[in-house]
Amino acid sequence: MEQLLQETLRVFETQFGREARWVVTAPGRVNVIGEHTDYNDGFVFPMAIERGVIIAAAPAKASDDIPAGQARIYSVAKKKFVNVPLSGEILPGEQVQWFDYVRGVIAGCLEEGVQADAFVAVIHSNVPLGGGLSSSAALEVATATLLEEITGKTFNPVQKALLCQKAEHVFAKMPCGIMDQFISAMGEKDNIMLLDCQDCTTQMVPFVSEAMGILITNSKVKHALSGSEYPERRSSCHDAAKILGVASLRELTMEQLEAGRDRLTDRQYRRAKHVVGEISRTLEAAQAFRDSNYAEAGKRMYASHDSLRDDFEVSCPEIDILVEIARGIGPDGGVLGSRITGGGFGGCTVTLIEMARRDSIMQTLRDEYVAKTGIEPEMFVTRPAQGAHIIS
Ligand code: GLA
């Protein structure tokens, strides 16, 4: 992150001719296990990663020449400026653009009575876009953190996560659950977060072992979550819960699901089976991490992947190849578990590895993935990182 910070500060000075007054950051995340359970009131087990969004900002000056009541924001990735209104009604646009996340959060802050004066800002990120590592949640939570810093008002962390989630729903038109914004706002260094999405309570599970690591492998296949697939999964789950007479799939046991199977379509049954099984696997994996029983945790990760591939149907051939290569390396080669992470349809895998074997694991994954798909993957090992915070 140090390099990203230096670049952000340099770009700020180049674009605005002075030093930034406020610098904030919010991380991306990797979900270790508990996929598509958040919008079913279940458990998720994500951690913040050592990649994120940095925003450097300063109060606007007359010489910036921006319309009154607006923020002028420069995106390093897009090499573009946009002006974003800071007050009044802001309507979502037709096509979702990167600055809609910023606009959505500013609108959400306004609803909470937090309004900033005109400012200029540079946004920079090293979270792969569309890679299933919550690049958008990082941008939302970083924006909310900046508004807190500018105005001196603070949200409680749950309120902050929820207003960022609303920005995603309304402005980015993606009906996501609460996991991504929660972990980006509340992640803690050296801890994985067990979040109960029913009552928004969290437990931190320490992951400090120097011997073990979390390897993220980007398949470089991009998903389009705001397409029809994610909302379809959400509806199937809600329909299944309604038909079986429970408030959410969290309330259902596997026995009850089997007993009610005839009342569901095959698709609804398989979607519900994934969710009910995944909620149990998440609790078991969290306990295994607590006990430093990484072999057990890894088994749950593989089972999660199989269920997401076969029953929830959110994997894709490239991701399945990555997981199979990892499985092939196996415990003797230092790999304990691997699965797709995030919403699905491409993106990244999360793999639990022995750090001593890190180089050979990465080499094998790379070589075999390239041989099978012709795609060069991107890989990095990360420790659980701190959630959103002020850098200066
Ligand atoms: C996306 C959503 C999350 C969650 C995951 C699937 O990342 O933003 O809320 O539903 O998919 O676990």
Side-chain angles (χ1 to χ4, degrees), residues 29 31 34-39 44 132 134 168 174-181 225 230 342-344:
R29 65 99 186 93
N31 190 17
E35 218 66 84
H36 291 274
T37 47
D38 61 351
Y39 54 82
V44 290
S134 290
E168 181 108 16
M174 156 66 177
C176 62
I178 59 172
M179 166 170 67
D180 308 343
Q181 292 78 13
L225 265 187
Y230 188 92

Side-chain angles (χ1 to χ4, degrees), residues 323-369:
V323 173
E324 286 323 305
I325 301 169
R327 227 189 276 256
I329 299 170
D332 292 345
V335 173
L336 297 181
S338 185
R339 56 181 289 280
I340 187 170
T341 189
F345 311 103
C348 294
T349 60
V350 54
T351 305
L352 181 60
I353 63 164
E354 277 171 25
M355 289 299 273
R357 310 289 187 102
R358 163 192 175 147
D359 292 345
S360 67
I361 293 167
M362 286 166 75
Q363 191 68 49
T364 307
L365 268 169
R366 186 212 157 261
D367 291 350
E368 292 192 19
Y369 187 64

Side-chain angles (χ1 to χ4, degrees), residues 30 47-51 207 213-216 380-385:
V30 65
M47 61 183 229
I49 58 174
E50 292 162 322
R51 293 206 175 193
F207 182 51
I214 295 290
L215 171 68
I216 295 175
F380 60 95
V381 171
T382 181
R383 304 228 37 98

